[in-house]
mmCIF file of all heavy atoms in Angstrom:
data_model
loop_
_atom_site.group_PDB
_atom_site.id
_atom_site.type_symbol
_atom_site.label_atom_id
_atom_site.label_comp_id
_atom_site.label_asym_id
_atom_site.label_seq_id
_atom_site.Cartn_x
_atom_site.Cartn_y
_atom_site.Cartn_z
ATOM 1 N N ILE B 1 -0.767 6.474 -4.341
ATOM 2 C CA ILE B 1 -1.207 5.157 -3.983
ATOM 3 C C ILE B 1 -1.485 5.091 -2.453
ATOM 4 O O ILE B 1 -0.659 5.792 -1.673
ATOM 5 C CB ILE B 1 -0.246 3.997 -4.424
ATOM 6 C CG1 ILE B 1 1.151 4.222 -3.824
ATOM 7 C CG2 ILE B 1 -0.116 3.917 -5.907
ATOM 8 C CD1 ILE B 1 2.067 3.002 -4.028
ATOM 9 N N GLU B 2 -2.483 4.490 -1.979
ATOM 10 C CA GLU B 2 -2.900 4.598 -0.629
ATOM 11 C C GLU B 2 -3.128 3.231 0.149
ATOM 12 O O GLU B 2 -3.998 2.377 -0.417
ATOM 13 C CB GLU B 2 -4.273 5.313 -0.491
ATOM 14 C CG GLU B 2 -4.854 5.408 0.946
ATOM 15 C CD GLU B 2 -6.157 6.017 0.947
ATOM 16 O OE1 GLU B 2 -6.916 5.916 -0.083
ATOM 17 O OE2 GLU B 2 -6.600 6.592 2.020
ATOM 18 N N PRO B 3 -2.413 2.985 1.126
ATOM 19 C CA PRO B 3 -2.760 1.757 1.847
ATOM 20 C C PRO B 3 -4.152 1.944 2.590
ATOM 21 O O PRO B 3 -4.279 3.007 3.213
ATOM 22 C CB PRO B 3 -1.619 1.650 2.901
ATOM 23 C CG PRO B 3 -0.510 2.523 2.281
ATOM 24 C CD PRO B 3 -1.222 3.644 1.573
ATOM 25 N N ILE B 4 -4.982 0.897 2.542
ATOM 26 C CA ILE B 4 -6.370 1.004 3.056
ATOM 27 C C ILE B 4 -6.457 -0.264 4.026
ATOM 28 O O ILE B 4 -6.035 -1.258 3.722
ATOM 29 C CB ILE B 4 -7.394 1.002 1.989
ATOM 30 C CG1 ILE B 4 -7.199 2.222 1.084
ATOM 31 C CG2 ILE B 4 -8.817 0.897 2.504
ATOM 32 C CD1 ILE B 4 -8.205 2.183 -0.039
ATOM 33 N N ASN B 5 -7.176 0.070 5.092
ATOM 34 C CA ASN B 5 -7.191 -0.995 6.168
ATOM 35 C C ASN B 5 -8.100 -2.107 5.662
ATOM 36 O O ASN B 5 -9.093 -1.888 4.965
ATOM 37 C CB ASN B 5 -7.683 -0.298 7.599
ATOM 38 C CG ASN B 5 -9.247 -0.127 7.670
ATOM 39 O OD1 ASN B 5 -10.062 -1.064 7.669
ATOM 40 N ND2 ASN B 5 -9.620 1.178 7.501
ATOM 41 N N ASN B 6 -7.948 -3.343 6.130
ATOM 42 C CA ASN B 6 -8.671 -4.505 5.695
ATOM 43 C C ASN B 6 -9.906 -4.804 6.467
ATOM 44 O O ASN B 6 -10.629 -5.727 6.316
ATOM 45 C CB ASN B 6 -7.752 -5.743 5.657
ATOM 46 C CG ASN B 6 -7.131 -6.057 6.946
ATOM 47 O OD1 ASN B 6 -7.495 -5.634 7.989
ATOM 48 N ND2 ASN B 6 -6.027 -6.854 6.890
ATOM 49 N N ARG B 7 -10.290 -3.835 7.473
ATOM 50 C CA ARG B 7 -11.483 -3.952 8.175
ATOM 51 C C ARG B 7 -12.587 -3.283 7.367
ATOM 52 O O ARG B 7 -13.586 -3.755 7.123
ATOM 53 C CB ARG B 7 -11.390 -3.275 9.598
ATOM 54 C CG ARG B 7 -12.675 -3.441 10.419
ATOM 55 C CD ARG B 7 -12.457 -2.819 11.757
ATOM 56 N NE ARG B 7 -12.364 -1.327 11.724
ATOM 57 C CZ ARG B 7 -11.829 -0.566 12.668
ATOM 58 N NH1 ARG B 7 -11.422 -1.165 13.832
ATOM 59 N NH2 ARG B 7 -11.945 0.661 12.616
ATOM 60 N N ASP B 8 -12.303 -2.047 6.918
ATOM 61 C CA ASP B 8 -13.224 -1.259 6.021
ATOM 62 C C ASP B 8 -13.323 -1.828 4.666
ATOM 63 O O ASP B 8 -14.282 -1.797 3.938
ATOM 64 C CB ASP B 8 -12.828 0.209 6.009
ATOM 65 C CG ASP B 8 -13.113 0.950 7.309
ATOM 66 O OD1 ASP B 8 -13.586 0.383 8.185
ATOM 67 O OD2 ASP B 8 -12.881 2.212 7.313
ATOM 68 N N MET B 9 -12.327 -2.321 4.152
ATOM 69 C CA MET B 9 -12.132 -2.796 2.828
ATOM 70 C C MET B 9 -11.423 -4.170 2.674
ATOM 71 O O MET B 9 -10.234 -4.205 2.390
ATOM 72 C CB MET B 9 -11.433 -1.786 1.877
ATOM 73 C CG MET B 9 -11.735 -1.954 0.339
ATOM 74 S SD MET B 9 -11.104 -0.557 -0.617
ATOM 75 C CE MET B 9 -12.170 0.793 -0.036
ATOM 76 N N PRO B 10 -12.092 -5.239 3.161
ATOM 77 C CA PRO B 10 -11.399 -6.578 3.153
ATOM 78 C C PRO B 10 -10.951 -6.890 1.674
ATOM 79 O O PRO B 10 -11.589 -6.800 0.777
ATOM 80 C CB PRO B 10 -12.492 -7.578 3.564
ATOM 81 C CG PRO B 10 -13.570 -6.655 4.255
ATOM 82 C CD PRO B 10 -13.410 -5.341 3.564
ATOM 83 N N GLY B 11 -9.648 -7.512 1.658
ATOM 84 C CA GLY B 11 -9.118 -7.949 0.402
ATOM 85 C C GLY B 11 -8.395 -6.896 -0.360
ATOM 86 O O GLY B 11 -7.775 -7.191 -1.447
ATOM 87 N N TYR B 12 -8.383 -5.647 0.118
ATOM 88 C CA TYR B 12 -7.663 -4.565 -0.668
ATOM 89 C C TYR B 12 -6.170 -4.951 -0.763
ATOM 90 O O TYR B 12 -5.589 -5.370 0.196
ATOM 91 C CB TYR B 12 -7.872 -3.206 0.058
ATOM 92 C CG TYR B 12 -7.379 -2.093 -0.928
ATOM 93 C CD1 TYR B 12 -8.154 -1.793 -2.054
ATOM 94 C CD2 TYR B 12 -6.240 -1.395 -0.731
ATOM 95 C CE1 TYR B 12 -7.771 -0.740 -2.867
ATOM 96 C CE2 TYR B 12 -5.882 -0.377 -1.607
ATOM 97 C CZ TYR B 12 -6.630 -0.045 -2.660
ATOM 98 O OH TYR B 12 -6.230 0.875 -3.618
ATOM 99 N N PHE B 13 -5.627 -4.715 -1.899
ATOM 100 C CA PHE B 13 -4.299 -5.256 -2.251
ATOM 101 C C PHE B 13 -3.195 -4.531 -1.337
ATOM 102 O O PHE B 13 -2.196 -5.174 -1.050
ATOM 103 C CB PHE B 13 -4.030 -4.880 -3.736
ATOM 104 C CG PHE B 13 -2.590 -5.430 -4.232
ATOM 105 C CD1 PHE B 13 -2.379 -6.709 -4.405
ATOM 106 C CD2 PHE B 13 -1.561 -4.574 -4.240
ATOM 107 C CE1 PHE B 13 -1.133 -7.162 -4.829
ATOM 108 C CE2 PHE B 13 -0.321 -4.999 -4.600
ATOM 109 C CZ PHE B 13 -0.053 -6.328 -4.980
ATOM 110 N N LEU B 14 -3.362 -3.268 -1.041
ATOM 111 C CA LEU B 14 -2.356 -2.495 -0.448
ATOM 112 C C LEU B 14 -2.791 -2.039 1.046
ATOM 113 O O LEU B 14 -3.758 -1.258 1.163
ATOM 114 C CB LEU B 14 -1.892 -1.226 -1.184
ATOM 115 C CG LEU B 14 -0.727 -0.461 -0.856
ATOM 116 C CD1 LEU B 14 0.520 -1.270 -1.169
ATOM 117 C CD2 LEU B 14 -0.656 0.883 -1.717
ATOM 118 N N ASN B 15 -2.129 -2.457 2.033
ATOM 119 C CA ASN B 15 -2.563 -2.351 3.406
ATOM 120 C C ASN B 15 -1.597 -1.458 4.244
ATOM 121 O O ASN B 15 -2.090 -0.898 5.348
ATOM 122 C CB ASN B 15 -2.794 -3.562 4.081
ATOM 123 C CG ASN B 15 -3.917 -4.417 3.387
ATOM 124 O OD1 ASN B 15 -3.552 -5.631 3.116
ATOM 125 N ND2 ASN B 15 -4.974 -3.853 3.104
ATOM 126 N N TYR B 16 -0.301 -1.624 4.029
ATOM 127 C CA TYR B 16 0.685 -1.023 4.899
ATOM 128 C C TYR B 16 1.534 0.052 4.250
ATOM 129 O O TYR B 16 1.868 0.002 2.990
ATOM 130 C CB TYR B 16 1.675 -2.080 5.506
ATOM 131 C CG TYR B 16 0.912 -3.181 6.359
ATOM 132 C CD1 TYR B 16 0.382 -4.241 5.689
ATOM 133 C CD2 TYR B 16 0.539 -2.990 7.630
ATOM 134 C CE1 TYR B 16 -0.307 -5.280 6.377
ATOM 135 C CE2 TYR B 16 -0.079 -3.877 8.395
ATOM 136 C CZ TYR B 16 -0.508 -5.061 7.769
ATOM 137 O OH TYR B 16 -1.221 -6.042 8.520
ATOM 138 N N GLN B 17 1.980 1.093 5.157
ATOM 139 C CA GLN B 17 2.755 2.237 4.700
ATOM 140 C C GLN B 17 4.001 1.785 4.032
ATOM 141 O O GLN B 17 4.389 2.252 2.926
ATOM 142 C CB GLN B 17 2.937 3.221 5.766
ATOM 143 C CG GLN B 17 1.713 3.883 6.383
ATOM 144 C CD GLN B 17 0.924 4.540 5.334
ATOM 145 O OE1 GLN B 17 1.388 5.312 4.523
ATOM 146 N NE2 GLN B 17 -0.310 4.325 5.393
ATOM 147 N N HIS B 18 4.675 0.842 4.599
ATOM 148 C CA HIS B 18 6.025 0.389 4.093
ATOM 149 C C HIS B 18 5.863 -0.274 2.653
ATOM 150 O O HIS B 18 6.718 -0.117 1.803
ATOM 151 C CB HIS B 18 6.715 -0.488 5.086
ATOM 152 C CG HIS B 18 6.236 -1.896 5.248
ATOM 153 N ND1 HIS B 18 5.159 -2.222 6.005
ATOM 154 C CD2 HIS B 18 6.530 -3.043 4.439
ATOM 155 C CE1 HIS B 18 4.934 -3.514 5.870
ATOM 156 N NE2 HIS B 18 5.629 -4.004 4.974
ATOM 157 N N GLN B 19 4.657 -0.956 2.497
ATOM 158 C CA GLN B 19 4.409 -1.501 1.176
ATOM 159 C C GLN B 19 4.358 -0.481 0.186
ATOM 160 O O GLN B 19 4.991 -0.775 -0.894
ATOM 161 C CB GLN B 19 3.247 -2.381 1.252
ATOM 162 C CG GLN B 19 3.240 -3.601 2.126
ATOM 163 C CD GLN B 19 1.800 -4.274 2.233
ATOM 164 O OE1 GLN B 19 0.811 -3.581 2.036
ATOM 165 N NE2 GLN B 19 1.819 -5.610 2.318
ATOM 166 N N ALA B 20 3.529 0.470 0.383
ATOM 167 C CA ALA B 20 3.447 1.635 -0.566
ATOM 168 C C ALA B 20 4.874 2.336 -0.796
ATOM 169 O O ALA B 20 5.091 2.599 -2.045
ATOM 170 C CB ALA B 20 2.472 2.603 -0.091
ATOM 171 N N GLN B 21 5.549 2.593 0.198
ATOM 172 C CA GLN B 21 6.893 3.274 0.007
ATOM 173 C C GLN B 21 7.808 2.415 -0.718
ATOM 174 O O GLN B 21 8.573 2.870 -1.662
ATOM 175 C CB GLN B 21 7.520 3.588 1.304
ATOM 176 C CG GLN B 21 6.711 4.666 2.087
ATOM 177 C CD GLN B 21 6.662 6.096 1.421
ATOM 178 O OE1 GLN B 21 7.544 6.451 0.564
ATOM 179 N NE2 GLN B 21 5.939 6.960 1.859
ATOM 180 N N GLU B 22 7.717 1.061 -0.564
ATOM 181 C CA GLU B 22 8.637 0.223 -1.301
ATOM 182 C C GLU B 22 8.352 0.107 -2.742
ATOM 183 O O GLU B 22 9.132 0.055 -3.571
ATOM 184 C CB GLU B 22 8.609 -1.216 -0.721
ATOM 185 C CG GLU B 22 9.306 -1.418 0.685
ATOM 186 C CD GLU B 22 8.956 -2.615 1.502
ATOM 187 O OE1 GLU B 22 8.129 -3.505 0.733
ATOM 188 O OE2 GLU B 22 9.341 -2.752 2.544
ATOM 189 N N ILE B 23 7.036 0.205 -3.007
ATOM 190 C CA ILE B 23 6.648 0.265 -4.461
ATOM 191 C C ILE B 23 7.121 1.523 -5.211
ATOM 192 O O ILE B 23 7.744 1.424 -6.237
ATOM 193 C CB ILE B 23 5.156 0.183 -4.668
ATOM 194 C CG1 ILE B 23 4.689 -1.326 -4.244
ATOM 195 C CG2 ILE B 23 4.633 0.547 -6.044
ATOM 196 C CD1 ILE B 23 3.211 -1.576 -4.090
ATOM 197 N N CYS B 24 6.960 2.639 -4.486
ATOM 198 C CA CYS B 24 7.465 3.892 -5.063
ATOM 199 C C CYS B 24 9.062 3.853 -5.225
ATOM 200 O O CYS B 24 9.522 4.329 -6.335
ATOM 201 C CB CYS B 24 7.083 5.110 -4.150
ATOM 202 S SG CYS B 24 5.407 5.448 -4.093
ATOM 203 N N GLU B 25 9.750 3.308 -4.322
ATOM 204 C CA GLU B 25 11.150 3.238 -4.403
ATOM 205 C C GLU B 25 11.557 2.228 -5.552
ATOM 206 O O GLU B 25 12.576 2.554 -6.272
ATOM 207 C CB GLU B 25 11.756 2.954 -3.021
ATOM 208 C CG GLU B 25 11.620 4.045 -1.963
ATOM 209 C CD GLU B 25 12.409 3.730 -0.754
ATOM 210 O OE1 GLU B 25 12.909 2.654 -0.605
ATOM 211 O OE2 GLU B 25 12.194 4.609 0.142
ATOM 212 N N GLU B 26 10.792 1.197 -5.632
ATOM 213 C CA GLU B 26 11.274 0.148 -6.588
ATOM 214 C C GLU B 26 11.024 0.653 -8.042
ATOM 215 O O GLU B 26 11.860 0.605 -8.879
ATOM 216 C CB GLU B 26 10.476 -1.051 -6.380
ATOM 217 C CG GLU B 26 10.667 -2.211 -7.453
ATOM 218 C CD GLU B 26 9.955 -3.517 -7.110
ATOM 219 O OE1 GLU B 26 9.476 -3.544 -5.978
ATOM 220 O OE2 GLU B 26 9.856 -4.341 -7.959
ATOM 221 N N LEU B 27 9.882 1.362 -8.245
ATOM 222 C CA LEU B 27 9.615 1.917 -9.607
ATOM 223 C C LEU B 27 10.638 3.183 -9.867
ATOM 224 O O LEU B 27 11.173 3.287 -11.023
ATOM 225 C CB LEU B 27 8.290 2.404 -9.719
ATOM 226 C CG LEU B 27 7.306 1.301 -9.828
ATOM 227 C CD1 LEU B 27 5.834 1.903 -9.717
ATOM 228 C CD2 LEU B 27 7.435 0.604 -11.121
ATOM 229 N N ASP B 28 10.932 3.978 -8.968
ATOM 230 C CA ASP B 28 11.940 5.085 -8.975
ATOM 231 C C ASP B 28 11.813 5.767 -10.426
ATOM 232 O O ASP B 28 12.641 6.021 -11.125
ATOM 233 C CB ASP B 28 13.399 4.382 -9.046
ATOM 234 C CG ASP B 28 14.380 5.430 -8.809
ATOM 235 O OD1 ASP B 28 14.174 6.507 -8.360
ATOM 236 O OD2 ASP B 28 15.591 5.120 -9.358
ATOM 237 N N ILE B 29 10.537 6.329 -10.501
ATOM 238 C CA ILE B 29 10.215 7.031 -11.738
ATOM 239 C C ILE B 29 9.735 8.409 -11.511
ATOM 240 O O ILE B 29 9.479 9.213 -12.543
ATOM 241 C CB ILE B 29 9.194 6.242 -12.531
ATOM 242 C CG1 ILE B 29 7.943 5.829 -11.686
ATOM 243 C CG2 ILE B 29 9.863 5.046 -13.266
ATOM 244 C CD1 ILE B 29 6.888 5.178 -12.535
ATOM 245 N N GLY B 30 9.581 8.873 -10.233
ATOM 246 C CA GLY B 30 9.060 10.199 -10.065
ATOM 247 C C GLY B 30 7.585 10.332 -10.294
ATOM 248 O O GLY B 30 6.908 9.437 -10.907
#
């Protein structure tokens, strides 16, 4: 999963590195 900047892709759901890492840790499924 990749955070993408909202200048090139306005409205993209995932924008920041910590958000992506938190999702991976929350799912904890490998």
Side-chain angles (χ1 to χ4, degrees):
I1 58 174
E2 177 189 24
I4 296 177
N5 81 74
N6 57 19
R7 184 177 72 197
D8 287 2
M9 201 173 288
Y12 193 72
F13 181 80
L14 191 64
N15 303 126
Y16 296 97
Q17 299 300 316
H18 74 272
Q19 293 174 331
Q21 293 292 342
E22 287 167 1
I23 285 171
C24 291
E25 293 183 359
E26 181 174 341
L27 286 173
D28 191 22
I29 52 178

